[in-house]
Amino acid sequence: MKILIENILAVLPGGPKVRSIYISDGKIESVDTRPADFVPDKTINGSGRLLIPGLINAHTHAYMTVFRNYADDLPFNDWLFDKIMPLEDSLTPDDCYWGTLLGIMEMLRSGTTAFADMYIHTNCAPRAVSDSGIRAVLSRGLSGGEGDPAGARRLRDALDEIEAWSGHDNITFMLAPHAPYTCDPGYQREIAREAARLGLRVNIHVSESLAEIETIRERYGCSPVELIDRNGLLTDKTLAAHCVQLDDRDISLFAERGASIVTNPISNLKLANGVAPVLKMLGAGINVALGTDSAASNNSLNLFRDLNYLTLLHKGINHDAEAVSARTGLEIATVNGARALGLSGTGKIEAGMAADLAVIDLDRPNMQPVNDPVAAIAYSAFGSEVETVIVGGRVLMEKCEFLTIDGEKVIDEVNKVCKRIYG
Ligand SMILES: [Zn+2]
């Protein structure tokens, strides 16, 4: 399939320019120079449109759309242990499949072309990703202790899932020890050994709340970051979500190990966990990516909202209007996300990169006049301006219509799940 996106204002690595984009075999073949014998199967008119690299949601739990607006305005521990975890026990694999598809619809609708996911039932997320055509780096959440049969079973399930789906074009896997407070040190070391053996990335929640810092200090006499480092889980293949409560030593450890951090500004605010020290992280040279976290704690998977918060929040708390500029924010939401997820072939509009792209309608009152398109993305857009989304050279949404997903059916199925689990 060859696609031509003609004369579109494109956010290129060097800045926005009007260019024609030639796509073939899933990749951007050329930016502006027409390849010899290029005959497009499909042409998209770029007039009045903006082309951005697809956004990368580097931390979510897509199946949790079924919990959207179910447990709000609660302290973190009450929210997680009293409300969310008991309900999770009532979810079947099929429930998770429909919930994940709804999450994927929401992400595509707002220009996300790849995401990192952590979940409770295996094989549902890969099915939903495969059926929809989006790109994802997936991981079954692991919790347990050394010698604990349930923990061993979870790890075995995760490894079986990885083997079953190996070689899929749009899917790769990580191992996901849930958090330092749900995996004991022996279990952490076991997961670290398996990740090293298989060359897999590690997806983990770290230093999300003050209560976590206290718990880990009481149990082990160190910070959560020091603990996972001791147990071999802090490496250049680690993707650590949240990292709200980091001290300077934690930040140095991240920088030394080359691990990536995913900041989740809205989820951290909503659960009253605080604001991550993103400026210090960036200053230390850490690769910082952006994630929504789940629809139970955000309550949206629209990365435009988090991009907006990311760029505003750190200006406000640091009294520094230059902090996390629109450009830096967009890089965090694209290139840095790609690096964090090990998706080196995406995140930029450049020849040779995967054609993972979002077309934005600029003919909206909130997007006019177009003085600075990058500022418009960070400060003026809602995400609803996204009208066409391409992943790996395949059009998944065109003029706001899903081409691979039956949206009505998905919403209907998710509502059935909710009716059942909420009684
Ligand atoms: Zn999370």
Side-chain angles (χ1 to χ4, degrees):
M1 173 91 171
K2 290 186 194 295
I3 303 173
L4 166 61
I5 308 176
E6 211 167 21
N7 297 320
I8 194 162
L9 182 60
V11 179
L12 306 175
K17 291 195 177 71
V18 176
R19 292 283 187 265
S20 288
I21 313 293
Y22 298 88
I23 296 166
S24 59
D25 296 330
K27 292 196 171 163
I28 299 170
E29 187 176 354
S30 167
V31 175
D32 219 28
T33 315
R34 189 181 196 102
D37 306 325
F38 189 95
V39 182
D41 302 297
K42 180 179 191 61
T43 301
I44 296 170
N45 181 351
S47 159
R49 301 292 180 269
L50 176 69
L51 187 71
I52 62 166
L55 303 182
I56 296 180
N57 187 349
H59 182 76
T60 189
H61 312 270
Y63 72 97
M64 289 176 89
T65 51
V66 297
F67 301 145
R68 195 194 316 265
N69 302 325
Y70 160 74
D72 300 304
D73 309 323
L74 290 169
F76 179 69
N77 278 1
D78 298 359
W79 171 81
L80 182 63
F81 297 111
D82 297 344
K83 290 286 189 179
I84 297 300
M85 282 184 165
L87 258 193
E88 282 192 323
D89 292 340
S90 60
L91 289 183
T92 68
D94 264 356
D95 298 344
C96 293
Y97 169 78
W98 293 113
T100 304
L101 262 184
L102 180 60
I104 290 171
M105 280 169 66
E106 189 183 0
M107 287 190 270
L108 288 173
R109 186 63 194 80
S110 48
T112 288
T113 52
F115 68 105
D117 208 37
M118 191 195 289
Y119 43 81
I120 51 168
H121 284 297
T122 51
N123 299 308
C124 320
R127 263 174 67 210
V129 170
S130 181
D131 290 352
S132 66
I134 198 169
R135 197 181 298 286
V137 186
L138 302 174
S139 52
R140 196 261 189 255
L142 303 169
S143 58
E146 194 171 14
D148 154 29
R153 178 184 49 78
R154 291 185 192 105
L155 181 54
R156 221 174 28 245
D157 286 351
L159 296 173
D160 288 347
E161 179 185 43
I162 292 168
E163 197 170 327
W165 291 87
S166 77
H168 193 289
D169 276 351
N170 288 16
I171 301 174
T172 47
F173 286 93
M174 304 177 278
L175 286 183
H178 170 264
Y181 57 90
T182 48
C183 298
D184 81 3
Y187 193 51
Q188 289 181 33
R189 285 194 294 273
E190 193 182 347
I191 296 168
R193 277 196 301 273
E194 285 301 307
R197 181 175 71 84
L198 297 164
L200 295 170
R201 304 182 102 73
V202 164
N203 183 19
I204 185 167
H205 298 96
V206 184
S207 299
E208 180 171 3
S209 68
L210 279 173
E212 175 184 340
I213 307 292
E214 280 166 25
T215 305
I216 297 298
R217 275 221 179 276
E218 248 167 54
R219 279 189 207 164
Y220 309 109
C222 63
S223 76
V225 176
E226 287 168 319
L227 181 70
I228 66 163
D229 185 51
R230 266 185 215 168
N231 294 321
L233 287 173
L234 193 69
T235 74
D236 61 355
K237 283 198 160 71
T238 299
L239 181 63
H242 302 300
C243 298
V244 181
Q245 311 291 342
L246 297 192
D247 60 23
D248 289 349
R249 187 170 152 61
D250 292 333
I251 291 176
S252 307
L253 260 178
F254 262 100
E256 277 167 37
R257 300 292 183 255
S260 292
I261 290 174
V262 186
T263 188
N264 304 277
I266 295 182
S267 171
N268 299 152
L269 286 173
K270 183 159 180 287
L271 293 170
N273 283 326
V275 176
V278 167
L279 280 195
K280 281 192 175 178
M281 296 169 185
L282 293 172
I286 297 167
N287 182 52
V288 178
L290 183 64
T292 56
D293 207 1
S294 79
S297 66
N298 183 302
N299 297 355
S300 158
L301 305 186
N302 174 350
L303 205 66
F304 276 85
R305 294 173 76 235
D306 278 88
L307 175 57
N308 188 233
Y309 271 76
L310 173 74
T311 50
L312 297 180
L313 198 51
H314 299 286
K315 293 174 177 42
I317 60 160
N318 292 290
H319 304 282
D320 176 3
E322 290 174 274
V324 193
S325 65
R327 261 150 209 80
T328 301
L330 185 59
E331 260 176 40
I332 287 174
T334 54
V335 189
N336 293 13
R339 193 181 314 154
L341 269 55
L343 299 173
S344 56
T346 186
K348 278 190 250 183
I349 303 178
E350 207 172 67
M353 301 298 278
D356 292 1
L357 304 162
V359 178
I360 291 174
D361 180 7
L362 291 174
D363 292 336
R364 301 282 184 108
N366 61 307
M367 299 299 276
Q368 289 290 329
V370 187
N371 288 318
D372 178 343
V374 177
I377 295 163
Y379 304 128
S380 309
F382 301 115
S384 52
E385 303 81 0
V386 173
E387 58 174 25
T388 295
V389 173
I390 301 171
V391 177
R394 186 174 171 208
V395 183
L396 304 187
M397 186 177 81
E398 186 167 29
K399 301 206 169 95
C400 305
E401 296 285 327
F402 294 107
L403 304 185
T404 55
I405 302 173
D406 180 348
E408 261 177 53
K409 163 106 177 136
V410 173
I411 288 169
D412 190 43
E413 292 290 342
V414 168
N415 277 290
K416 277 191 211 157
V417 174
C418 291
K419 223 175 210 167
R420 197 192 76 234
I421 62 173
Y422 300 141

